[in-house]
Amino acid sequence: MNQEMPSNPKSVEDIFRDYSGRRAGIVRALCYDVHEVYELCDPEKENLCLYGHPNDMWEVTLPAEEVPPELPEPALGINFARDGMDRKDWLSLVAVHSDSWLLSVAFYLGARLNRNDRKRLFGMINELPTVYEVVTRKTPVKDKPMLDIGSKSKVSTKRSSDGQVKSNSKHVDEGYGEDEDEHSDTLCGTCGGSYSAEEFWIACDICERWFHGKCVKITPAKAESIKQYKCPNCSMKKSRQ
């Protein structure tokens, strides 16, 4: 497992990026890749943990063998409760434990920060919804007909998010506001944040997930020149083949 324990203290920004990446991986596991996670968490296997990695990926595996581990460990044995609970309740339980783990890793990495930096780090973390909030208030987007949101909406999203939306909603394309209800259950594939017409979003043409432009570093201007957008996860999968 690539837990990337640093030899030197990280900055607040470095630790927050690490937290955001791990969180995004867990959100993906519990909201998009639910069926795969469910199958991997076989109660017949040994103690299993759900790890989020800094590269936005997730992994269900055995805990680290070394004692003490390089980083705090996630909750052990999440697979044992799988068949004894309703699936939604089980996912909520895993989400709560994951939130606890994410915070413990962030503050473990930030143990050498001063008081003001620790406060700033927690403030940055607290701006994001918890994994539990994402899992319990939204239906996993993977099960929704994302094609119904479709390329037509995607094009209008690009055009309408020209940087003027926040300052003047009248600049939004005709019909764009009508799409807001369609997107109301849409979550960002990276941060898990809910859809807002005030922000620029882009959809991956491969996995059909939607992302905040800022989360995948795509601006409205850059989006106009992209014929087929591939999110970081899909791009990574192709590079491995």
Side-chain angles (χ1 to χ4, degrees), residues 16 19-20 23 123-131 133 191-193:
F16 181 67
Y19 171 88
S20 299
R23 176 185 170 281
M124 294 167 70
I125 289 173
N126 206 36
E127 286 298 309
L128 295 173
T130 63
V131 177
E133 288 173 331
C191 75

Side-chain angles (χ1 to χ4, degrees), residues 2-6 10-26 51-57 71-72 101-110 121 124-125 128 190:
N2 180 20
Q3 292 295 301
E4 298 186 7
M5 174 62 185
K10 289 186 174 185
S11 69
V12 171
E13 289 71 25
D14 287 338
I15 296 171
F16 181 67
R17 278 193 291 271
D18 182 277
Y19 171 88
S20 299
R22 294 178 190 278
R23 176 185 170 281
I26 291 175
Y51 289 87
H53 295 305
N55 61 356
D56 300 356
M57 304 300 287
L71 289 176
W101 175 69
L102 288 168
L103 281 173
S104 68
V105 170
F107 278 79
Y108 178 79
L109 296 176
L121 173 61
M124 294 167 70
I125 289 173
L128 295 173
T190 295

Side-chain angles (χ1 to χ4, degrees), residues 176-194:
Y176 177 64
E178 297 173 1
D179 289 337
E180 185 165 4
D181 290 338
E182 295 181 35
H183 291 269
S184 60
D185 288 333
T186 301
L187 304 179
C188 174
T190 295
C191 75
S194 302

Side-chain angles (χ1 to χ4, degrees), residues 81-207:
R82 190 196 74 177
D83 292 347
M85 302 176 66
D86 177 82
R87 180 180 292 205
K88 289 183 179 179
D89 292 337
W90 180 74
L91 289 171
S92 297
L93 178 67
V94 175
V96 168
H97 281 294
S98 296
D99 280 317
S100 177
W101 175 69
L102 288 168
L103 281 173
S104 68
V105 170
F107 278 79
Y108 178 79
L109 296 176
R112 297 181 181 87
L113 297 174
N114 61 41
R115 179 180 179 181
N116 288 335
D117 282 346
R118 289 197 305 272
K119 183 177 180 179
R120 185 159 67 92
L121 173 61
F122 181 75
M124 294 167 70
I125 289 173
N126 206 36
E127 286 298 309
L128 295 173
T130 63
V131 177
Y132 175 78
E133 288 173 331
V134 173
V135 169
T136 57
R137 76 182 180 198
K138 298 293 182 181
T139 302
V141 179
K142 187 174 183 180
D143 295 333
K144 290 188 173 294
M146 294 299 289
L147 284 174
D148 291 346
I149 296 174
S151 58
K152 175 170 66 70
S153 297
K154 184 170 132 183
V155 172
S156 65
T157 303
K158 290 179 182 177
R159 290 201 305 268
S160 61
S161 302
D162 57 3
Q164 300 178 0
V165 172
K166 289 185 178 180
S167 60
N168 189 345
S169 60
K170 292 181 181 179
H171 286 276
V172 177
D173 261 1
E174 182 179 354
Y176 177 64
E178 297 173 1
D179 289 337
E180 185 165 4
D181 290 338
E182 295 181 35
H183 291 269
S184 60
D185 288 333
T186 301
L187 304 179
C188 174
T190 295
C191 75
S194 302
Y195 172 78
S196 170
E198 299 296 314
E199 299 176 288
F200 170 67
W201 286 65
I202 188 168
C204 175
D205 288 305
I206 306 301
C207 67

